[in-house]
Amino acid sequence: MAEATEKPLNFIEQIIEDDLAAGKNDGRVLTRFPPEPNGYLHIGHAKSICLNFGVAQRYGGKTNLRFDDTNPVTEETEYVESIKADVKWLGFDWAEELYASDYFDQLYEFAIKLIKKGLAYVDDSTSEEMAAMKGTPTVAGINSPYRERTIEENLDLFVRMKNGEFAEGTRVLRAKINMASTNMLMRDPIIYRIKFATHHRTGDKWCIYPMYDFAHGQSDSIEQITHSICTLEFVPHRELYDWCIESLEIFPSKQYEFARLNLSYAITSKRKLLQLVNENFVTGWDDPRMPTISGMRRRGYTPEAIREFCDRIGIAKRDNLIDVSLLEFCVREHLNKVATRVMAVLDPIKVVITNYPEGKVEELTAENNPEDHESGSRIMPFSREILIEKEDFMENPTKKYFRLGPGLMVRLKHAYIIKCDDVVKDENGEIIELHCSYIENSRSGNDTSGINVKGTIHWVSEAQAVDAEVRLYDRLFKVEDPSREDGDFKEYLNPESLQVITAKVEPALKNATLGTPYQFLRKGYFCLDPDSTTDKLVFNKTVGLKDTWAKEAGK
Ligand code: ATP
Ligand code: MG
């Protein structure tokens, strides 16, 4: 049984608890995560991973990672590797790494068994003829003229299909169920088709391949999966799933469905994400704007934050659209606990502290993370010439402006209070630098000045600061639900989703490492990008400190 928690059980957990209480499956819980290796995993898959691995963990069970690789045309080994890396990164370990293609021999034997039971037949109709005979949801279909073939004839033809004697599209194997069923999928579904394609694992061994509905449930059954969790579009497939298992008299895995995760301002379809990659709308599957797990990792999202998000949204039985700001909230909440605080000036203006000795460099101590007192501290150089954000100065400050303005005082974080004495402009009237004076006895940690200032701003010392390319991201799409809009989803791409700037960062960031989260004080969370070299730092903005999008959208 699960440990006592405050959260009510979700409906899958309830089913599992009922099954355990009834002594089903000898108390075993075995789930599977079954990606088709035809693309990189996205946030929707993360939801499925957290659910499948999560419930198994909770009930002392296990989860298999099964590659659903029965379609030879779209699958690639690169995808298999990326999927494994992503599941591990999310923090989960699978019991076994399996491939549906490893079951091709057994699935073939299952098909033979169905034929022998009089439950499958080879159909020579063209796909147009089959479609015409299928009927409509309100009109029953009609039986194919090949439906009453003898078992011997069916066996002979199916073996010859397997041996490559017939061309693609000339024959299929169909389950013999009911052409009048109200469930269209039960109207003698195709279970095997001829395809002369090289498979990423079985090569040219096979020229017939099982259809999804004749592979998935049987794979579950072969592995003795107890709870096969999938998304709602498979509800109509459940009847066929059960029919196959019953007809074949194999282990009775059970299918349960939950609502897919749809995320606002994003696309969660591998097929569409692949278009963005292939047509160069993004730099790759791991472009930090992509809702892929690899994109989110590169962007600086953490596995903890993604798991927390999946947990918070829970599981539903109805499709809905989840606001991406909830995901960003979870990211911000986790990064706040773990990010190293540093100073970076994204849009600099120079400040000369006229009463500070020329050539002097003070080494100030700055705490790495006030949320975590074990995180240590680092040295920040302070000198006469520093850089601050342009937006932290206002020539004609409004009443509530507590940053720098002519005659105003502000505290430099970890350093001194300064006062703006003079604004230096070029011939065009553009401000080029500010002349300030500092209060000598106001140093942070040792302030005896008695002066109280309301504003604190960040800064870097000009001579020691390092250039860094900073990539600022906005939503990849301009509309909330790009899949639902009319026309091509690519019309709704946000042309301003990437802005590249050069910032000045404190020298400690020369030692920045991949995977370490940083908070650029007052600016947001950032992480080093793998494009960085020893000569050039590149940072990605992970997320802002506040939800600025909600403000802009007038919410
Ligand atoms: P896509 O349309 O992106 O290709 P898919 O469902 O075809 O998605 P699979 O690789 O077949 O992708 O999915 C593996 C598992 O992840 C399946 O169990 C599937 O139901 C689940 N899954 C895929 N997308 C989502 C989603 N948006 N929300 C929740 N689960 C999902
Ligand atoms: Mg699929």
Side-chain angles (χ1 to χ4, degrees):
M1 283 292 111
E3 304 157 27
T5 65
E6 314 230 327
K7 250 182 132 190
L9 297 180
N10 65 46
F11 75 92
I12 299 281
E13 291 164 342
Q14 190 61 59
I15 289 166
I16 295 178
E17 294 215 351
D18 292 347
D19 286 352
L20 291 175
K24 278 195 197 160
N25 306 312
D26 309 318
R28 239 173 11 96
V29 175
L30 181 61
T31 59
R32 86 287 171 264
F33 174 63
E36 186 181 340
N38 61 348
Y40 281 58
L41 298 181
H42 52 61
I43 184 73
H45 294 109
K47 172 77 216 170
S48 174
I49 292 167
C50 290
L51 178 59
N52 277 296
F53 283 88
V55 292
Q57 271 173 6
R58 180 163 182 178
Y59 295 101
K62 291 179 177 169
T63 305
N64 287 344
L65 174 62
R66 182 201 314 143
F67 292 100
D68 209 338
D69 59 350
T70 51
N71 180 359
V73 184
T74 52
E75 291 145 8
E76 283 179 39
T77 312
E78 174 199 348
Y79 298 136
V80 168
E81 293 309 317
S82 76
I83 289 168
K84 283 161 53 176
D86 287 350
V87 175
K88 276 195 200 142
W89 179 77
L90 271 180
F92 297 106
D93 279 321
W94 49 89
E96 289 190 75
E97 176 186 331
L98 302 161
Y99 294 81
S101 57
D102 286 347
Y103 308 139
F104 280 163
D105 285 296
Q106 278 170 91
L107 294 173
Y108 176 75
E109 290 306 323
F110 285 157
I112 297 281
K113 185 168 175 181
L114 277 193
I115 295 173
K116 286 186 175 162
K117 287 181 96 174
L119 292 175
Y121 61 96
V122 173
D123 197 331
D124 304 355
S125 311
T126 63
S127 51
E128 293 75 27
E129 286 163 348
M130 274 189 275
M133 287 185 280
K134 190 122 202 193
T136 68
T138 50
V139 178
I142 39 174
N143 289 349
S144 159
Y146 303 97
R147 200 173 197 263
E148 299 308 328
R149 275 181 160 150
T150 63
I151 290 174
E152 290 66 36
E153 196 182 353
N154 281 319
L155 281 175
D156 173 61
L157 287 170
F158 187 55
V159 170
R160 289 166 61 194
M161 273 170 68
K162 178 192 143 210
N163 292 342
E165 291 185 28
F166 308 123
E168 259 181 43
T170 55
R171 285 186 167 85
V172 292
L173 184 70
R174 297 177 74 176
K176 191 172 180 179
I177 310 181
N178 176 7
M179 289 303 292
S181 173
T182 49
N183 181 348
M184 297 292 284
L185 291 172
M186 296 297 277
R187 294 186 184 176
D188 292 7
I190 297 173
I191 56 178
Y192 260 94
R193 65 192 192 292
I194 300 171
K195 205 153 209 139
F196 288 91
T198 305
H199 186 276
H200 78 126
R201 299 189 91 226
T202 57
D204 294 324
K205 179 176 173 193
W206 296 90
C207 62
I208 53 169
Y209 289 95
M211 302 297 286
Y212 172 87
D213 285 311
F214 198 69
H216 200 92
Q218 284 80 334
S219 302
D220 285 343
S221 183
I222 291 168
E223 294 172 22
Q224 307 215 344
I225 299 297
T226 57
H227 299 82
S228 176
I229 306 167
C230 61
T231 39
L232 285 181
E233 66 271 26
F234 291 99
V235 169
H237 295 251
R238 196 197 316 135
E239 199 180 351
L240 182 52
Y241 182 103
D242 291 338
W243 182 91
C244 288
I245 284 179
E246 275 163 36
S247 304
L248 292 167
E249 302 162 80
I250 53 180
F251 180 84
S253 297
K254 287 277 170 209
Q255 175 184 305
Y256 302 96
E257 310 87 11
F258 72 104
R260 307 177 74 81
L261 164 63
N262 299 306
L263 193 66
S264 65
Y265 300 98
I267 289 276
T268 44
S269 150
K270 278 181 285 189
R271 188 177 54 79
K272 289 182 180 167
L273 294 173
L274 179 64
Q275 282 183 51
L276 296 181
V277 174
N278 284 346
E279 297 169 35
N280 297 318
F281 287 104
V282 292
T283 55
W285 284 99
D286 69 344
D287 186 304
R289 293 166 293 180
M290 289 280 269
T292 50
I293 296 181
S294 48
M296 293 189 287
R297 173 167 60 232
R298 184 162 174 185
R299 174 86 172 248
Y301 286 20
T302 60
E304 290 87 344
I306 296 172
R307 292 200 304 263
E308 172 66 19
F309 168 71
C310 292
D311 198 42
R312 274 181 190 246
I313 56 179
I315 60 168
K317 281 190 176 178
R318 284 261 239 33
D319 277 319
N320 56 2
L321 186 67
I322 303 285
D323 195 333
V324 66
S325 51
L326 177 62
L327 175 58
E328 290 167 350
F329 170 84
C330 294
V331 171
R332 208 177 277 126
E333 195 181 50
H334 183 234
L335 292 180
N336 180 44
K337 291 192 200 122
V338 297
T340 299
R341 272 60 173 172
V342 291
M343 296 214 255
V345 177
L346 304 189
D347 184 17
I349 179 166
K350 183 168 175 166
V351 171
V352 180
I353 301 167
T354 50
N355 61 341
Y356 195 87
E358 257 176 76
K360 177 175 172 181
V361 180
E362 246 177 292
E363 295 201 324
L364 304 176
T365 307
E367 202 179 0
N368 283 335
N369 183 358
E371 300 282 321
D372 172 8
H373 294 295
E374 279 161 27
S375 65
S377 57
R378 63 186 192 286
I379 299 297
M380 277 208 63
F382 181 79
S383 67
R384 190 170 194 266
E385 295 179 347
I386 63 168
L387 301 168
I388 67 167
E389 287 307 333
K390 258 187 201 140
E391 62 174 20
D392 284 334
F393 173 80
M394 219 174 177
E395 199 173 7
N396 299 299
T398 50
K399 234 182 170 182
K400 292 242 165 100
Y401 191 80
F402 298 122
R403 289 171 272 169
L404 210 52
L408 295 183
M409 284 190 174
V410 79
R411 170 168 295 283
L412 298 173
K413 181 76 182 173
H414 301 305
Y416 299 93
I417 293 172
I418 56 167
K419 180 175 171 223
C420 178
D421 305 315
D422 209 2
V423 180
V424 183
K425 296 183 179 174
D426 64 13
E427 61 270 25
N428 302 320
E430 293 284 337
I431 301 174
I432 46 173
E433 60 183 44
L434 305 171
H435 286 178
C436 295
S437 46
Y438 84 119
I439 315 292
E440 208 178 331
N441 60 349
S442 68
R443 198 169 119 173
S444 289
N446 188 21
D447 180 3
T448 55
S449 70
I451 303 173
N452 251 330
V453 291
K454 280 214 167 114
T456 301
I457 63 173
H458 61 277
W459 53 275
V460 290
S461 175
E462 190 181 32
Q464 294 82 11
V466 183
D467 278 343
E469 176 176 314
V470 175
R471 299 173 181 171
L472 305 169
Y473 302 104
D474 199 350
R475 308 263 137 106
L476 188 53
F477 288 94
K478 291 180 290 190
V479 294
E480 246 194 342
D481 198 353
S483 307
R484 286 246 173 110
E485 300 282 343
D486 292 337
D488 184 355
F489 72 99
K490 292 182 299 256
E491 285 169 26
Y492 301 99
L493 282 163
N494 176 5
E496 277 145 33
S497 58
L498 170 64
Q499 191 196 344
V500 181
I501 59 170
T502 303
K504 291 281 187 182
V505 304
E506 66 169 272
L509 281 172
K510 275 191 267 189
N511 301 319
T513 49
L514 286 174
T516 304
Y518 298 97
Q519 185 191 98
F520 288 3
L521 280 184
R522 301 174 64 230
K523 285 287 147 193
Y525 295 99
F526 293 78
C527 67
L528 195 69
D529 187 85
D531 284 347
S532 288
T533 60
T534 40
D535 302 328
K536 185 183 174 198
L537 291 170
V538 180
F539 286 94
N540 293 315
K541 182 169 181 181
T542 308
V543 68
L545 295 175
K546 279 182 284 194
D547 188 353
T548 52
W549 181 270
K551 231 190 317 176
E552 277 159 33
K555 281 185 191 162

